[in-house]
Amino acid sequence: MTVWAQAKVTDYTVRVLQKYPHDSKAYTQGLFFHNGTMYETTGLKGQSSVRIVDYKTGKVTKKVAMPSYCFGEGSCIVDGTMTVLTWQNSIAFEYDPVSLDCKKKMAYPREGWGLTAIPESQRPKYSGAVMVASDGSSRLYFLNGNLKTLKTVNVTFNGRNLALLNELEWIDGKIWANVYTSDIIVIINPSTGVVEGKIDCSGLIPAKNRTASMDVLNGIAFLPSSSQGGRGGIFLTGKKWPWLFRVELVKR
């Protein structure tokens, strides 16, 4: 019996509303919208990049390569600066979100996995934190703009620690997290770390339709409806997936 079998949380699947082309060579690590524009960071040494993407066509409209020794990871934009983590390089980078010029390199004390921004209206509740990061464990790290850890939260699923938290997205006051190597996304209460929802995304691309080059689900982006004239929503993709999906939740 898997850890998911006895979950005392709300169970969801997803319904695909629309699908868009996605660069099938992109090893997606970070995915998010900022002011209606989609940003994506990709991983693998020698292939890591920071991108601006036209999500409707899949076209990469601007792209810069990260240093060849780096393995790019999660990313977000806070107060006009884009921060990108690296996996095991013990550094993070700051980029200009318009030009994608690299502005700064900083030390980072742990493995970088996922990263998401806390909306300005909710930051006071989290004691000055502006970002939340994951490191592949069951912990989430609340960071200030200098990447200093202000607090940590341990994530639990039905009372048990839930590790392998990867790409993150802040949606309507909750943190959504990919659980690495699975087709599961969990919805986490950021104050308590308790998983309140579980989303089974296995129907997006069934196993029988996946090719050898396609990797795991990874990539959650939230676009507020006002950014697209009422057609916002939740967007999901995976590492080297040929599609980006706009979805809605379906409660089981």
Side-chain angles (χ1 to χ4, degrees):
M1 184 174 291
T2 68
V3 66
W4 310 118
Q6 298 178 345
K8 298 176 181 177
V9 299
T10 305
D11 236 349
Y12 301 94
T13 58
V14 292
R15 176 183 294 120
V16 175
L17 301 177
Q18 200 159 1
K19 69 177 184 179
Y20 306 92
H22 178 254
D23 181 2
S24 60
K25 295 181 180 179
Y27 194 79
T28 304
Q29 299 290 82
L31 191 74
F32 65 94
F33 284 96
H34 180 73
N35 293 337
T37 298
M38 175 170 275
Y39 289 80
E40 183 173 15
T41 45
T42 67
L44 302 177
K45 288 186 178 179
Q47 300 179 40
S48 296
S49 65
V50 180
R51 306 172 173 208
I52 297 175
V53 179
D54 179 344
Y55 77 90
K56 293 181 180 179
T57 65
K59 181 181 178 181
V60 179
T61 60
K62 187 166 291 196
K63 173 182 172 181
V64 296
M66 296 183 70
S68 60
Y69 61 88
C70 287
F71 195 117
E73 283 282 351
S75 54
C76 69
I77 293 175
V78 170
D79 299 332
T81 295
M82 182 175 181
T83 300
V84 182
L85 303 181
T86 61
W87 181 32
Q88 294 178 321
N89 300 102
S90 300
I91 53 176
F93 294 92
E94 289 186 352
Y95 291 86
D96 181 280
V98 177
S99 66
L100 298 188
D101 291 337
C102 187
K103 298 163 56 178
K104 187 178 180 181
K105 181 171 76 172
M106 302 169 289
Y108 190 68
R110 64 186 67 89
E111 287 189 6
W113 284 49
L115 188 69
T116 191
I118 303 175
E120 285 188 51
S121 62
Q122 298 184 51
R123 291 178 195 172
K125 186 177 179 181
Y126 298 97
S127 304
V130 298
M131 295 177 273
V132 183
S134 62
D135 66 349
S137 71
S138 62
R139 302 199 72 78
L140 295 177
Y141 301 84
F142 288 70
L143 313 175
N144 68 11
N146 294 318
L147 302 181
K148 178 182 177 181
T149 300
L150 301 180
K151 64 175 286 188
T152 62
V153 171
N154 190 56
V155 175
T156 59
F157 187 98
N158 196 28
R160 299 167 60 184
N161 290 348
L162 180 63
L164 296 178
L165 301 174
N166 198 7
E167 217 267 316
L168 306 176
E169 184 77 1
W170 191 287
I171 302 177
D172 294 336
K174 308 295 181 181
I175 297 173
W176 290 36
N178 281 118
V179 180
Y180 185 53
T181 74
S182 80
D183 287 318
I184 298 296
I185 292 171
V186 290
I187 302 173
I188 302 163
N189 183 313
S191 296
T192 65
V194 172
V195 172
E196 298 179 343
K198 174 178 73 73
I199 309 167
D200 182 352
C201 301
S202 58
L204 286 176
I205 303 181
K208 65 180 181 179
N209 295 333
R210 297 190 188 185
T211 65
S213 62
M214 294 168 63
D215 211 307
V216 298
L217 175 78
N218 196 65
I220 311 166
F222 176 62
L223 179 63
S225 295
S226 59
S227 298
Q228 290 290 316
R231 292 208 55 177
I234 296 161
F235 294 75
L236 306 176
T237 192
K239 302 172 187 289
K240 297 189 175 184
W241 282 22
W243 302 106
L244 170 75
F245 300 92
R246 185 168 72 91
V247 305
E248 65 180 4
L249 295 188
V250 177
K251 189 175 179 180
R252 282 178 163 168

